[in-house]
C-alpha cells in the first residue's frame, strides 16, 4: 500500500523540477512512511511513497523492467500475482523481485492495455513505456484505490493518489487552479461527496473505477476507457443450499488471497454481519488467533461492541476494544485536510479512530466493506422495493400529480420513525425509480437545495442536478430488476464516492492497509448472477449471506437490527458544538462565496438548536464545507471574500 504521484509533459520533454516532484511526493508521506523514491527523465517525473507489505527486501518503486524502458508506480495489491508469475515466465519474462508490482510491468509488456483485465485486486498505477512514448494509468474495478489527475494549460499532466499531491505542484506557469466547480458543489450537497469523475476543483479529475487512460506523448489527451462492468444477469438457477455452500467457498478464496502478507495482519470487527463473516472466515484459515479491533462508544445508543465481543469470544481472537467518547468531534479540521474535498459522512470520525487503533497492532486489516451493496443489506433497499411495487401498480399519470401534491403539502416529521415519515414516501412515489432512489439517498434533497442555493449559484448550475449522475449510470445498468438497478447505482456512486473514500483516507492517515474481501470482483460478478430473491426476501436483507453464515455466527449477530457507525450529531449541535456550528454556518467563509441564502442558513441553525426540527445532516454538510474552504480551498488558510462570479485567490468561479 503506497502513495503515487508524478508529472508528465504530454507535448514534449521539458525538464521536471526535482524539488517540485519531491514536494508532491512528501505531501503523501502518510501513505508510505517506509520509503520514498523518485524517478526523473526527460519530460517525466514519478514519485512513490512505500508502505512495505509484500517483498519487503526488493519491492522498491519506481520499478523497472529488465532494460529500464518500462517503469511503474503502484498503489494497492494484485492478489493473483503468484498465479500470473509462472504464466509470464513461460512467455519469456524474467523477474528480479518477488513483488506483485513487477507483475504489472511484465503484464504490460505481454498484454498491453489489456493487462488490467488480468489483475485481481485493488490498485491504482501509472506506467511509462519509453519505447512507445506512452503513459498508461489505471484504477481497479470497484474504485478501492484512488487516482487523481489534472491537465494543466501548458500540457503538463499531474497525477497522484490524493488531490493534495496535485495541489503541492508549483511549476513555471503556476499550478493547479483552485477554482471550485459549482456542479461539484451541487453534487456534494446532494450526496455528501463529489461523484466520479468530477472533483471539487474544475481542473482536476478522478479516474473512474474500472477505467484506464493511455496517453501517447504528442497526441491529445483523451478520455479514460472502461475495461470492466458488473452485469446483473440474475439468471443463475442455483438452489439456496447450493448457493450458500458456494458462497462459503468463494468467501474463503477471497479472504485467503487477502491474507498474503509479510507484516502483521488483522481485521476490523464491528459486530455487524459483514465484518463478522470476514473474521469467521479468517479464523478458519489461520493457524493462530486472528487479530481483531473494534471501537465502542460511551453512549449505549451508538455502541455495538458487545456483538463484536460475541464473535471475538467464539473465535478466540486477539481482540482490542477502545471506547471512544461520543463527543469525539475534535477531528473536523483534520478530516477536511485529510480528504482534500468536502466530505460529509460523519462516520469518518469513528473510522479514523478504528484505523488508529488497528495500526498500533497490525499493518494490514481486512474489512467487511461492500457487503451491503453486493448482498442487498441496506434498509433503504427494502423501502425502495416496497415503493416500487406501489409505483408499478399505479400509472404515472395518476401517481405523479397525486403524490407530488401530497409530498409538497404533507408536513415534514423528523421526530417520527422512518417508516412513518409519509412525506418522504409521497415525494418518492411521484418520481421514477431512479429519481426516487436519488431523492432517498440525498442528504439535502432537491427542494432543500433550491432554498439553500442563492440565485447566483443557481445560474451557474444552469439546470444541472446531482440526479444526472444517477441517470448516466442507470443508462448503463442493463437491468430492469428493481433491486439490481439500485445495487448497480450504489456500486457506481455511494460505494466509490463515500465508503471507499472514507476507508482509504482514514486508513492511509495511519499508514494502515485495508483489504476488502467482499469487494472481490469475481465474487461480485457471481453475486450479480443470482436472483434478487436470494438477497432480499421477506423483508430480510442479506438473505443468502445470513443463511451461508448461520453455522458460523450467532443469531444475535446475524439477525439484529443494523446500527451502523453513527455519531450523535443532533446532540452535538444543540450542546458542545452549538456555537461552533452557528459561527461556521453563519460566518464569513460561506457568506463570501455568494452561493448560499443567508435566511435559509439562519432557519436551519435556529430550527435545530430550538429543537423544532432535526437539521443535523444539512448542518454537518455545511460545517464540513466550511472546514474545506478554510483548510484546503483558501490555500493559505485565509478567507477568500468574493462576489457572485469570481475573485479573490481564484477560489470561486
Amino acid at each position: 500500500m503506497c502513495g503515487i504521484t508524478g508529472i508528465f509533459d504530454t507535448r514534449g520533454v521539458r525538464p521536471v523540477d526535482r524539488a517540485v516532484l519531491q514536494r508532491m511526493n512528501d505531501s503523501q508521506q502518510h501513505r508510505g512512511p517506509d520509503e520514498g523514491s523518485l524517478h526523473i527523465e526527460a519530460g517525466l517525473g514519478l514519485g512513490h511513497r512505500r508502505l512495505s507489505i509484500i517483498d519487503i527486501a526488493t519491492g522498491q518503486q519506481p520499478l523497472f523492467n529488465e532494460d529500464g524502458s518500462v517503469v511503474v508506480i503502484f498503489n494497492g495489491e494484485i492478489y493473483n500475482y503468484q498465479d500470473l508469475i509462472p504464466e509470464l515466465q513461460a512467455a519469456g519474462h524474467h523477474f528480479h523481485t518477488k513483488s506483485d508490482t513487477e507483475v504489472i510491468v511484465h503484464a504490460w509488456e505481454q498484454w498491453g492495455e489489456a493487462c488490467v483485465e488480468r489483475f485481481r485486486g485493488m490498485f491504482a498505477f501509472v506506467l511509462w513505456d519509453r519505447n512507445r512514448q506512452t503513459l498508461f494509468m489505471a484504477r481497479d474495478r470497484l474504485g478501492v484505490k484512488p487516482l487523481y489527475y489534472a491537465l494543466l494549460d501548458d500540457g503538463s499532466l499531474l497525477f497522484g493518489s490524493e488531490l493534495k499531491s496535485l495541489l503541492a505542484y508549483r511549476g513555471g506557469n503556476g499550478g493547479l487552479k483552485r477554482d471550485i466547480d459549482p456542479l461539484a458543489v451541487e453534487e456534494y450537497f446532494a450526496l455528501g461527496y463529489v461523484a466520479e469523475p468530477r472533483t471539487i476543483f474544475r481542473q482536476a479529475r478522478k479516474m473512474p473505477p474500472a477505467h484506464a487512460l493511455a496517453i501517447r506523448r504528442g497526441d491529445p489527451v483523451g478520455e479514460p476507457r472502461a475495461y470492466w462492468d458488473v452485469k446483473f444477469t440474475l439468471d443463475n438457477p442455483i438452489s439456496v443450499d447450493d448457493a450458500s455452500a458456494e458462497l462459503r467457498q468463494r468467501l474463503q478464496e477471497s479472504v485467503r488471497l487477502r491474507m498474503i502478507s509479510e507484516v502483521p495482519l488483522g481485521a476490523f470487527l464491528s459486530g455487524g454481519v459483514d465484518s463478522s463473516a470476514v473474521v469467521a472466515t479468517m479464523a478458519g484459515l489461520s493457524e493462530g488467533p486472528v487479530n481483531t479491533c473494534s471501537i465502542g462508544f460511551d453512549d449505549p445508543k451508538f455502541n455495538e461492541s458487545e456483538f463484536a465481543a460475541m464473535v471475538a469470544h467464539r473465535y478466540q481472537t486477539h481482540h482490542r476494544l477502545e471506547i471512544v467518547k461520543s463527543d469525539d468531534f475534535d477531528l473536523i479540521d483534520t478530516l477536511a485536510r485529510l480528504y482534500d474535498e468536502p466530505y460529509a459522512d460523519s462516520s469518518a470520525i469513528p473510522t479514523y479512530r478504528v484505523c488508529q487503533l488497528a495500526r498500533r497492532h497490525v499493518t494490514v486489516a481486512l474489512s467487511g466493506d461492500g457487503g451491503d451493496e453486493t448482498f442487498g443489506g441496506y434498509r433503504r433497499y427494502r423501502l425502495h422495493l416496497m415503493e416500487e411495487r406501489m409505483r408499478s401498480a399505479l400509472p404515472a399519470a395518476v401517481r405523479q400529480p397525486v403524490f407530488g401534491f401530497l409530498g409538497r403539502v404533507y408536513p415534514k416529521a423528523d421526530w417520527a420513525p422512518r417508516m412513518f415519515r409519509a412525506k418522504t414516501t409521497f415525494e418518492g412515489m411521484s418520481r421514477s425509480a431512479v429519481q426516487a432512489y436519488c431523492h432517498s439517498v440525498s442528504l439535502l434533497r432537491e427542494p432543500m437545495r433550491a432554498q439553500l442555493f442563492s440565485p447566483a449559484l443557481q445560474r451557474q448550475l444552469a439546470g444541472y442536478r446531482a440526479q444526472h449522475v444517477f441517470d448516466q449510470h442507470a443508462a448503463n445498468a442493463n437491468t430492469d430488476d428493481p433491486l439490481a438497478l439500485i445495487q448497480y447505482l450504489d456500486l457506481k456512486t455511494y460505494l466509490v464516492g463515500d465508503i471507499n473514500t472514507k476507508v482509504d483516507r482514514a486508513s492511509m492517515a495511519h499508514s494502515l492497509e485495508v483489504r476488502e474481501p467482499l469487494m472481490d470482483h469475481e465474487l461480485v460478478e457471481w453475486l450479480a448472477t443470482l436472483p434478487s430473491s436470494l438477497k432480499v426476501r421477506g423483508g430480510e436483507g442479506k438473505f443468502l449471506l445470513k443463511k451461508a453464515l448461520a453455522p458460523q455466527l450467532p443469531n444475535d449477530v446475524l439477525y439484529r437490527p443494523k446500527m451502523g457507525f453513527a455519531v450523535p450529531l443532533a446532540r452535538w449541535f444543540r450542546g458542545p458544538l452549538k456555537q461552533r456550528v452557528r459561527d461556521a454556518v453563519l460566518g464569513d467563509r460561506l457568506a463570501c462565496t455568494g452561493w448560499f441564502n443567508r435566511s435559509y442558513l439562519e432557519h436551519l441553525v435556529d430550527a435545530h438548536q430550538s429543537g423544532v426540527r432535526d437539521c443535523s445532516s444539512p448542518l454537518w454538510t455545511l460545517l464540513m464545507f466550511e472546514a474545506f474552504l478554510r483548510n484546503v480551498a483558501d490555500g493559505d488558510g485565509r478567507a477568500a471574500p468574493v462576489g457572485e462570479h469570481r475573485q479573490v485567490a481564484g477560489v470561486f468561479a
Side-chain angles (χ1 to χ4, degrees):
M1 189 63 60
C2 306
I4 62 175
T5 193
I7 307 165
F8 175 57
D9 183 0
T10 65
R11 299 174 183 170
V13 290
R14 287 170 295 179
V16 170
D17 188 323
R18 174 174 287 272
V20 171
L21 183 61
Q22 186 70 60
R23 184 166 62 246
M24 294 170 67
N25 205 34
D26 289 347
S27 73
Q28 299 182 139
Q29 184 169 354
H30 53 285
R31 297 188 71 92
D34 296 333
E35 294 180 80
S37 300
L38 306 179
H39 167 70
I40 297 176
E41 61 179 81
L44 175 73
L46 302 175
H48 184 263
R49 294 295 324 183
R50 188 183 187 203
L51 177 62
S52 303
I53 304 291
I54 293 174
D55 192 13
I56 294 175
T58 63
Q60 290 79 11
Q61 300 182 44
L63 187 146
F64 298 81
N65 66 344
E66 298 95 323
D67 65 6
S69 63
V70 178
V71 58
V72 71
I73 49 175
F74 163 51
N75 169 32
E77 303 287 351
I78 307 298
Y79 298 124
N80 65 331
Y81 78 101
Q82 292 175 335
D83 296 329
L84 293 173
I85 288 175
E87 183 178 356
L88 290 165
Q89 287 175 326
H93 298 278
H94 300 283
F95 285 75
H96 65 274
T97 75
K98 298 177 181 178
S99 72
D100 55 340
T101 308
E102 191 172 3
V103 166
I104 299 174
V105 169
H106 296 305
W108 165 263
E109 292 178 301
Q110 184 67 27
W111 300 305
E113 294 183 32
C115 67
V116 290
E117 299 169 20
R118 305 295 301 272
F119 300 150
R120 185 176 185 177
M122 55 178 189
F123 54 83
F125 66 84
V126 177
L127 177 148
W128 167 245
D129 187 325
R130 189 181 307 115
N131 293 336
R132 303 186 199 184
Q133 288 290 289
T134 296
L135 191 81
F136 184 67
M137 311 163 61
R139 189 178 180 193
D140 66 70
R141 292 169 179 82
L142 292 165
V144 180
K145 293 289 99 186
L147 183 57
Y148 292 83
Y149 67 100
L151 183 63
L152 304 187
D153 295 340
D154 67 354
S156 298
L157 183 79
L158 312 179
F159 46 86
S161 296
E162 297 184 16
L163 193 53
K164 59 174 55 66
S165 69
L166 278 63
L167 292 171
Y169 174 85
R170 287 292 181 273
N173 294 317
L176 180 71
K177 296 174 183 176
R178 299 192 185 217
D179 291 348
I180 290 178
D181 185 347
L183 308 191
V185 176
E186 155 71 8
E187 291 179 5
Y188 168 72
F189 279 96
L191 306 175
Y193 55 88
V194 180
E196 272 79 350
R198 204 180 306 280
T199 75
I200 192 63
F201 299 117
R202 289 179 187 269
Q203 205 171 23
R205 286 288 178 266
K206 304 181 186 90
M207 180 70 69
H211 279 67
L213 175 61
I215 306 168
R216 183 173 174 81
R217 176 172 279 152
D219 291 348
V221 178
E223 292 296 320
R225 67 166 184 87
Y227 65 85
W228 178 87
D229 201 1
V230 59
K231 294 178 172 57
F232 282 86
T233 60
L234 314 178
D235 56 0
N236 192 332
I238 195 168
S239 69
V240 173
D241 289 343
D242 288 346
S244 297
E246 185 167 350
L247 175 56
R248 286 191 293 269
Q249 181 182 15
R250 287 179 175 274
L251 275 177
Q252 285 183 343
E253 180 190 25
S254 182
V255 169
R256 177 186 60 79
L257 287 171
R258 286 158 179 79
M259 292 176 67
I260 299 171
S261 175
E262 296 178 16
V263 295
L265 176 142
F268 296 145
L269 181 56
S270 69
V273 177
D274 303 328
S275 65
S276 298
V278 170
V279 169
T281 306
M282 289 178 72
L285 296 168
S286 302
E287 295 181 0
V290 177
N291 293 302
T292 55
C293 299
S294 65
I295 290 290
F297 293 92
D298 60 2
D299 186 337
K301 291 183 294 185
F302 299 91
N303 188 21
E304 56 181 350
S305 60
E306 64 175 294
F307 299 101
M310 286 183 192
V311 178
H313 177 74
R314 179 162 181 162
Y315 290 101
Q316 295 297 294
T317 71
H318 283 155
H319 189 56
R320 278 93 175 185
L321 168 67
E322 185 168 292
I323 300 297
V324 176
K325 292 182 179 180
S326 58
D327 286 346
D328 184 28
F329 44 73
D330 293 334
L331 290 175
I332 292 173
D333 288 336
T334 298
L335 293 177
R337 292 188 292 270
L338 189 61
Y339 286 84
D340 298 325
E341 297 186 88
Y343 178 80
D345 186 343
S346 59
S347 69
I349 293 176
T351 301
Y352 182 95
R353 293 301 186 200
V354 76
C355 291
Q356 188 177 51
L357 168 64
R359 189 60 178 91
R360 297 184 198 133
H361 308 285
V362 299
T363 310
V364 177
L366 273 63
S367 80
D369 295 314
D372 283 307
E373 291 81 3
T374 54
F375 289 101
Y378 289 122
R379 187 174 180 272
R380 63 177 181 258
Y381 289 173
R382 304 194 290 282
L383 294 174
H384 180 83
L385 292 178
M386 178 190 70
E387 289 182 4
E388 191 63 12
R389 286 191 293 271
M390 296 169 63
R391 261 189 292 272
S392 63
L394 293 171
V398 174
R399 183 167 43 80
Q400 291 174 352
V402 172
F403 287 103
F405 172 76
L406 290 173
R408 288 191 296 274
V409 301
Y410 202 85
K412 185 174 175 62
D414 297 311
W415 50 268
R418 193 176 187 88
M419 65 182 296
F420 296 116
R421 296 179 193 174
K423 185 178 184 68
T424 299
T425 300
F426 292 153
E427 289 173 336
M429 287 296 298
S430 68
R431 292 167 162 82
S432 70
V434 175
Q435 291 171 344
Y437 192 64
C438 179
H439 180 75
S440 72
V441 300
S442 294
L443 298 184
L444 280 78
R445 292 171 176 153
E446 197 165 318
M448 289 187 71
R449 301 197 304 276
Q451 296 180 77
L452 175 68
F453 295 158
S454 69
L457 179 54
Q458 297 283 9
R459 286 193 293 274
Q460 292 181 56
L461 292 176
Y464 179 81
R465 295 292 180 265
Q467 174 68 49
H468 297 176
V469 174
F470 285 72
D471 291 338
Q472 290 171 353
H473 288 304
N476 298 321
N478 198 30
T479 180
D480 57 4
D481 180 86
L483 178 61
L485 175 59
I486 59 177
Q487 283 184 280
Y488 183 89
L489 293 176
D490 269 353
L491 287 171
K492 298 296 181 179
T493 57
Y494 183 71
L495 180 65
V496 182
D498 190 303
I499 301 298
N500 288 344
T501 299
K502 173 178 63 181
V503 175
D504 176 80
R505 301 307 189 280
S507 59
M508 286 285 88
H510 301 290
S511 306
L512 175 75
E513 172 169 306
V514 176
R515 298 178 179 175
E516 33 32 276
L518 302 186
M519 280 188 267
D520 182 274
H521 83 271
E522 293 190 10
L523 174 62
V524 171
E525 288 174 339
W526 177 73
L527 288 169
T529 70
L530 302 182
S532 291
S533 60
L534 288 182
K535 297 156 191 169
V536 176
R537 179 179 293 190
E540 186 70 44
K542 298 183 185 173
F543 172 79
L544 179 62
L545 181 62
K546 293 173 182 177
K547 286 288 185 183
L549 272 294
Q552 297 170 264
L553 293 173
N555 275 1
D556 286 348
V557 170
L558 290 174
Y559 293 102
R560 69 182 179 88
K562 184 178 178 65
M563 183 178 290
F565 233 12
V567 294
L569 294 181
R571 180 172 61 78
W572 286 359
F573 295 164
R574 294 185 181 119
L577 289 183
K578 182 176 182 178
Q579 192 58 46
R580 179 167 183 172
V581 167
R582 181 171 288 275
D583 291 345
V585 173
L586 303 181
D588 291 341
R589 278 185 176 84
L590 292 185
C592 74
T593 66
W595 285 348
F596 305 104
N597 286 322
R598 170 83 181 190
S599 61
Y600 193 67
L601 295 177
E602 292 174 345
H603 163 74
L604 290 173
V605 173
D606 292 342
H608 184 84
Q609 295 187 345
S610 67
V612 170
R613 178 169 294 170
D614 182 358
C615 300
S616 55
S617 180
L619 288 176
W620 177 261
T621 308
L622 286 159
L623 185 66
M624 294 309 297
F625 191 75
E626 189 271 348
F628 158 76
L629 294 178
R630 183 161 36 83
N631 288 280
V632 181
D634 290 356
D636 57 4
R638 292 179 291 135
V642 297
E644 173 182 328
H645 295 293
R646 205 174 171 83
Q647 258 359 67
V648 179
V651 173
F652 304 103

